[in-house]
Amino acid sequence: MTGSLTMVGRSVRLSRRNLDTLLMSILLPVMMMALFVYVFGGAIATGTSYVNYVVPGIIVLCTGYGASSTAMSVADDMKKGAVDRFRSMPISSFAVLTGHVTASVARNALATAIVVLVAVAMGFRPSATVLDWVLAMGLLLLYVLALSWLAAGFGVIARSVESASLLGFFMLFLPYLSSAFVPTATMPAVLRAVSEHQPITPIIETVRALLTSAPVTSGWLALTWAAGLLVVAFCLATWLFRRISSR
């Protein structure tokens, strides 16, 4: 436990020094939100205010931007020999990854809070109760943890920091093939099938329903996807770390 807390403190301090990554995880979602709300929003029919429709998707997109930087941080430790030094210390084998993942969750919490505040300034008017907010944030936390552990695994196997950023690209791409920006019913048949059967769509739909007081129809599916991805990502990342760092 002490080793994990030490690594968490180290990763948080590194995040404070790397402000450009935090700023990008905030600015990119805000720019995307402004683009869709002010440029495309008037031409997209969703049956409700477009800003209320798109903001939950932007929030999920924001978590992807924040988590993807974890892969680069882990790859940097692996390639610069930091892990070799940590192996001589009395800490658990995956405490380094725990530190990076916890710092990722902290960055995402800050970025998401700022994005929501900007969204309110743009006209976002959630009608969620306190319980709805708690459930939505809980699901997002589970999703962020899953993405962060997956990104950590990518960072372990990446050959360089640059390749780690490429491995995390799909985290940023999948939300575009979901119901984040337009209803899936408006998509061509093949794309609609892909969108409706990938993990991001039920997560977005559940967050959207909770924040707008709509009926929650995919809550258990979203929870299953997020929890299943977390278990697989955690096991894979820790197994890869033990295998590669012991060489």
Side-chain angles (χ1 to χ4, degrees):
M1 176 63 72
T2 301
S4 295
L5 290 176
T6 300
M7 292 297 103
V8 168
R10 170 183 177 267
S11 296
V12 170
R13 288 191 297 272
L14 289 174
S15 295
R16 289 207 307 261
R17 296 171 189 168
N18 193 15
L19 290 178
D20 55 337
T21 299
L22 178 61
L23 287 175
M24 287 302 294
S25 67
I26 298 171
L27 290 177
L28 285 176
V30 167
M31 291 170 63
M32 290 293 299
M33 183 165 54
L35 176 66
F36 276 89
V37 170
Y38 294 130
V39 178
F40 302 129
I44 300 176
T46 61
T48 184
S49 168
Y50 185 68
V51 66
N52 286 344
Y53 179 90
V54 78
V55 167
I58 293 293
I59 292 173
V60 174
L61 184 68
C62 178
T63 63
Y65 282 123
S68 63
S69 63
T70 306
M72 293 182 284
S73 299
V74 173
D76 191 54
D77 273 353
M78 297 293 291
K79 302 312 169 188
K80 288 185 176 179
V83 171
D84 293 332
R85 295 193 294 273
F86 294 145
R87 285 175 59 194
S88 64
M89 300 169 60
I91 60 176
S92 63
S93 59
F94 58 89
V96 178
L97 298 187
T98 301
H100 285 294
V101 169
T102 305
S104 172
V105 172
R107 287 194 304 269
N108 268 294
L110 177 60
T112 300
I114 293 174
V115 168
V116 170
L117 290 176
V118 174
V120 170
M122 290 183 179
F124 178 50
R125 296 295 181 265
S127 54
T129 64
V130 173
L131 178 60
D132 291 336
W133 274 106
V134 170
L135 292 175
M137 293 303 105
L139 178 59
L140 286 173
L141 174 61
L142 198 63
Y143 177 64
V144 169
L145 282 170
L147 285 189
S148 298
W149 278 107
L150 189 60
F154 285 158
V156 170
I157 62 175
R159 295 182 179 273
S160 66
V161 176
E162 290 75 17
S163 62
S165 65
L166 293 176
L167 287 172
F169 173 75
F170 86 98
M171 294 183 184
L172 312 181
F173 183 71
L174 272 182
Y176 295 100
L177 296 178
S178 71
S179 63
F181 303 108
V182 297
T184 57
T186 64
M187 300 177 182
V190 174
L191 186 57
R192 178 179 179 181
V194 172
S195 175
E196 291 180 345
H197 294 89
Q198 57 120 322
I200 310 297
T201 292
I203 292 173
I204 291 174
E205 290 295 332
T206 301
V207 173
R208 180 179 290 128
L210 289 170
L211 296 186
T212 59
S213 299
V216 178
T217 58
S218 54
W220 286 110
L221 181 59
L223 185 62
T224 301
W225 269 116
L229 182 59
L230 174 57
V231 171
V232 171
F234 173 80
C235 294
L236 182 63
T238 52
W239 177 78
L240 287 171
F241 184 80
R242 288 193 184 103
R243 179 180 179 131
I244 293 176
S245 63
S246 63
R247 291 178 181 173

